[in-house]
């Protein structure tokens, strides 16, 4: 005669508890390595680029003015060179990293 799923689960958890097995491997048990960090960063930059392009495209469709108008507004803020350089780096880094890491992966 067959057993129910509840009985099977109960037996499984009893066996697991008695043998002191971990539930599943977790990120905390792995030793961090450069390829692991690069893979995670590659995925993160991919998500950031996808969201950024989507939001920029949506803004281009929804906002009433053309791009030069908003560029003039940013220039009117008179932001310092350090802040502008940092902002440019934050925009360029995901694109450059994702591109070069993708080429590295293909090679």
């Amino acid at each position: 005669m067959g057993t129910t799923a509840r009985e099977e689960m109960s037996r499984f958890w009893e066996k697991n508890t008695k043998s002191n097995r971990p539930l599943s491997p977790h990120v905390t048990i792995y030793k961090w390595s450069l390829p692991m960090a690069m893979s995670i960063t590659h995925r993160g930059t991919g998500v950031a680029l996808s969201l950024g392009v989507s939001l920029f495209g949506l803004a281009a469709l929804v906002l009433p003015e053309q791009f030069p108008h908003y560029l003039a507004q940013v220039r009117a803020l008179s932001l310092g060179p350090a802040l502008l350089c940092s902002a440019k780096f934050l925009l360029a880094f995901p694109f450059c990293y994702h591109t070069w890491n993708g080429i590295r992966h293909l090679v």
Side-chain angles (χ1 to χ4, degrees):
M1 211 170 210
T3 59
T4 65
R6 195 172 300 252
E7 291 169 346
E8 284 293 324
M9 282 178 49
S10 175
R11 255 189 270 160
F12 170 79
W13 286 114
E14 285 173 20
K15 181 180 168 188
N16 228 18
T17 305
K18 287 177 188 173
S19 63
N20 257 350
R21 291 184 192 160
L23 293 179
S24 63
H26 193 267
V27 174
T28 57
I29 70 166
Y30 295 111
K31 181 181 174 192
W32 280 79
S33 63
L34 184 60
M36 177 193 274
M38 290 178 72
S39 175
I40 292 169
T41 307
H42 186 78
R43 290 171 191 236
T45 55
V47 169
L49 289 169
S50 178
L51 289 174
V53 168
S54 297
L55 290 175
F56 188 79
L58 185 64
L61 290 172
V62 174
L63 292 175
E65 297 291 332
Q66 297 295 321
F67 182 71
H69 171 75
Y70 298 108
L71 186 60
Q73 284 186 334
V74 171
R75 285 189 178 148
L77 293 174
S78 300
L79 302 172
L83 187 60
L84 284 175
C85 189
S86 299
K88 289 177 184 179
F89 176 80
L90 287 175
L91 288 173
F93 174 76
F95 179 76
C96 292
Y97 180 83
H98 197 78
T99 300
W100 287 110
N101 196 46
I103 292 170
R104 179 195 65 83
H105 179 72
L106 287 174
V107 169

